[in-house]
Amino acid sequence: MLVAGHAAPTHADDGVVIDVNAQKKGSYPLALPAAPEGDQVAREIAQVSQFDMTVAGPFKVLDPASFLADLKKEGLEIEPQKWKDVGALGVVKYRVTATHIEFRLYEVSKGNTAVLTKMYPRSGTTTRAIVHRWANEVFKYYTGEPGFFGSKITFTAKGKKSSAIYAMDFDGNGAYAVSNNSSTNILPAFSPSGGQIAYTSFMRNNPDLYIGPAGGGRPKKISGHPGMNTGAAWSPDGTKIALTLSKDGSPDIYIINAGDGSVIKRLTNDKAIDTSPAWSPDGGSIAFVSDRNGGPQIFVTSAGGGAARQVSFNGTYNTTPTWSPKPGKKILAYTTRDGGHYDIVTLDLDTKAMTRITQNEGNNEEPAFSPNGRAIAFARAGQGVFIANADGTGKAVKVWSGSATGVDWGPAPKD
Amino acid sequence: MAMSSGGGDGDLNAEINVTPLVDVMLVLLIIFMITAPMMNTGVDLDLPQVSAKNIEDPEGKLVLSIDKGNRIFLGGTQVTWQDLKVKLEANERVKKESELYIEADTALPYGVVITAMAVAKNAGVAKVMMLTEAEDNLGAKLTELDQNKPK
C-alpha cells in the first residue's frame, strides 16, 4: 500500500527574517512559558504573557501542549531544533529568583543566542506588572512600536438605579470605582497623561462635568452650565476639553479650558443636535456626531473652527467617533447600526476604506483605540468590555463582565 | 478496497483491526516513500532497505520515529502513544506543513506503523513520508521473501 511517488519537497522558511507588520494576525508563531502546576508565580507569568501576546495582534501563541523541548533541562536556553519542530519562530524563556525575574527572547533561526534579555527587580512591583513590561519589550522588538500592556481602560458600569465610573488594567485586572456617589456617572475620558479622568455626573442633579484623580478620590466640578455638560474629549496636550453644552438651546460642541472650565470657543452653532466630540491625535481636527442632515452621522471640523464636513455615509445611524492614535493616519472608529444591530467599524478618511470590527455578536458600542492603535476596546450591551484587533482580524476578548458603556482607553504605560 | 477480516469462528482477537484504518488512509492520506540515508534523529533504528525517491533536504524535517521496542519519538523526543495525538494536533508546524516524516524500524509489525499513521491522520496530517534506507539489490530481497526466509 505504500506508493513510491514523486514527492515535491518543501523547504521550510527557517532563517528568513519575518516582517510581522506585513503579515496578518496570528502569523508569527511565538512559544511562551507554559504554566506548571502548583507554582503561583510561574502560573501568573504564563497566563499574563499568553494573554498579552494573544491580544497584541501580530503573534500566534503556540499551544504549550505541543512542546517537545525538555524545559527543565533547557532552563534559560533553547535547543533550536526542538522549537523548530513545533513551528516556533520565537521563544520566550524566564527565570525567577528571590529578587529578580529574568526574561529572554530567542529567534529560533538565530540559534541558542538570546536576541533580547531583561532583568526586572521584583521589589516594589508585581509579577503581573513585570510581565506587562516584558511584553512591551517583545512587542517593540518585533514591531518597532510601543505595546499597550499595562495601560488602563475606564468605563461606565451600569447598576440598577445608578451608574459608576470604573477603571482597570486593559486586561480587566484590578477594576475599581473612580466615582464615589450613588448618582448617575457617565462618559469617562482619561487625560492624556493618564493621571485624571473627566466624567459627567448627575450628583448635583444637572449633568455637570467633573475631573477627578484616575485612582479615585474627590472630583472637581469643571463645567456646570445649565443643561448638558457631557462627552468630554481632552486635547492631546491636556490643556483643553471639547464637550457638548446645551446652555444656548440645542446641544453644540464647545472647547473649554481644562483647568478652570471657561469656554474658549463654540465650534458648532445650528439647530441640530451636535454631540460626542473626539479630538484628533495631531490636535487639529475634531470629529463629532450631528443629525443636521437627518439621522446621526459623523462630521469632522477644524479644532480652530469653521465648516464641518460629513465623513460617514454608511447606513442611517453612526455615532461615538474616536480617532486612531496611529501617527500619519486619519482613521476613525465609530458605532454603526446595521440591520438592527450595533457594530464597531473603522473608516480611513484618506482611503475611505471601512473595516468591520464586530459582526453578528450582540450590540457593540463606544469604541476606544489602544494607545498604539493596534486594538479597540468597546462595550457589548449587557455583556461587558471587550478588546479586539483594530484591523478587524481575530476574535474579540472579554476583559470585564457586566453591564458597561462609555469605554475609554488610557495612555501608553510608562516604563 | 476490501480485505478479508478472517473467519467468524468466534476466536477473540486482541490485535488491532487495521482494515478500516487502511481503507480510510488509502482514500484520504497521501503517502510517499523516501530514501533518506542521512536523516539523524538520534533514534536507533533499522530502516527498511528499499530504494525510493531521495529528498533533497532531509535535515530539519519533523520526523516521527518508532524503534523496535514500540517506543515513539517526535523530533527525537520520546512521547507516549497516548500523548502523540495531542502533541501532533497542537503542533503549529504540523498545521502549517500538514506533513510528517515517519521512520519505523524494519522489524516492527505492520499494525504498529499503521496505528501511528492513523493517529497522524486524525491529528490533521495530510501527507506522510515513509523513510527508507537505500538498497540496490531488490531482486535478492524478493527472492528471499519468496523463500520465506527473512534475514
Side-chain angles (χ1 to χ4, degrees), chain A residues 50-186:
Chain A
Q50 286 188 17
F51 182 89
D52 285 3
M53 286 301 138
T54 302
V55 299
F59 303 105
K60 161 81 190 174
V61 175
L62 299 184
D63 185 346
S66 72
F67 293 175
L68 295 171
D70 184 340
L71 301 177
K72 278 207 182 91
K73 198 178 115 201
E74 275 191 343
L76 269 173
E77 319 215 325
I78 65 160
E79 218 180 300
Q81 185 61 44
K82 298 280 183 198
W83 294 101
K84 213 178 271 181
D85 277 344
V86 296
L89 291 177
V91 182
V92 168
K93 291 282 189 156
Y94 74 97
R95 176 172 61 187
V96 181
T97 69
T99 57
H100 288 78
I101 302 178
E102 178 179 357
F103 279 102
R104 290 189 188 175
L105 174 66
Y106 292 89
E107 281 186 67
V108 174
S109 63
K110 293 183 179 165
N112 187 20
T113 309
V115 293
L116 190 64
T117 301
K118 288 275 165 186
M119 284 274 267
Y120 298 100
R122 296 177 71 187
S123 68
T125 185
T126 61
T127 302
R128 176 175 285 276
I130 290 172
V131 177
H132 286 323
R133 286 170 69 193
W134 165 251
N136 283 323
E137 294 287 346
V138 173
F139 188 83
K140 195 172 177 191
Y141 175 80
Y142 284 113
T143 65
E145 297 169 22
F148 54 75
F149 316 114
S151 60
K152 291 203 178 302
I153 287 174
T154 182
F155 60 98
T156 302
K158 290 198 278 190
K160 274 183 187 145
K161 288 178 181 164
S162 65
S163 61
I165 305 303
Y166 269 66
M168 62 188 183
D169 289 352
F170 79 101
D171 59 4
N173 189 61
Y176 60 93
V178 175
S179 63
N180 179 22
N181 61 70
S182 56
S183 182
T184 296
N185 304 276
I186 54 170

Side-chain angles (χ1 to χ4, degrees), chain B residues 92-112:
Chain B
E92 186 65 16
R93 184 166 185 184
V94 170
K95 280 181 210 161
K96 205 172 275 175
E97 298 174 358
S98 299
E99 66 176 27
L100 186 65
Y101 288 69
I102 295 183
E103 52 174 19
D105 196 283
T106 192
L108 275 173
Y110 181 58
V112 172

Side-chain angles (χ1 to χ4, degrees), chain B residues 33-45:
Chain B
M33 200 161 61
I34 283 161
T35 306
M38 39 189 301
M39 217 67 166
N40 187 6
T41 50
V43 182
D44 185 23
L45 296 175

Side-chain angles (χ1 to χ4, degrees), chain A residues 267-293:
Chain A
L267 270 191
T268 66
N269 189 353
D270 56 60
K271 287 180 185 152
I273 295 169
D274 297 332
T275 184
S276 199
W279 218 302
S280 70
D282 65 3
S285 305
I286 287 176
F288 62 97
V289 177
S290 176
D291 65 352
R292 62 185 67 178
N293 293 347

Side-chain angles (χ1 to χ4, degrees), chain A residues 302-361:
Chain A
S302 163
R309 64 187 173 99
Q310 185 174 340
V311 296
S312 66
F313 294 97
N314 62 304
T316 56
Y317 185 99
N318 296 301
T319 61
T320 62
T322 188
W323 295 86
S324 165
K326 284 235 168 199
K329 299 271 187 188
K330 285 183 186 157
I331 298 173
L332 288 174
Y334 55 90
T335 308
T336 190
R337 189 172 62 198
D338 178 27
H341 285 278
Y342 295 93
D343 277 311
I344 310 295
V345 293
T346 65
L347 171 65
D348 188 319
L349 297 185
D350 292 323
T351 66
K352 312 294 180 212
M354 281 191 75
T355 305
R356 240 177 199 289
I357 305 303
T358 62
Q359 188 161 24
N360 295 333
E361 284 186 287

Side-chain angles (χ1 to χ4, degrees), chain A residues 293-307:
Chain A
N293 293 347
Q297 294 289 354
I298 315 294
F299 289 72
V300 173
T301 187
S302 163

Side-chain angles (χ1 to χ4, degrees), chain A residues 192 234-241 255-260 264 279:
Chain A
W234 297 76
S235 64
D237 65 3
T239 62
K240 300 188 278 286
I241 288 175
I255 294 174
I256 63 171
N257 185 310
D260 61 13
I264 296 172
W279 218 302

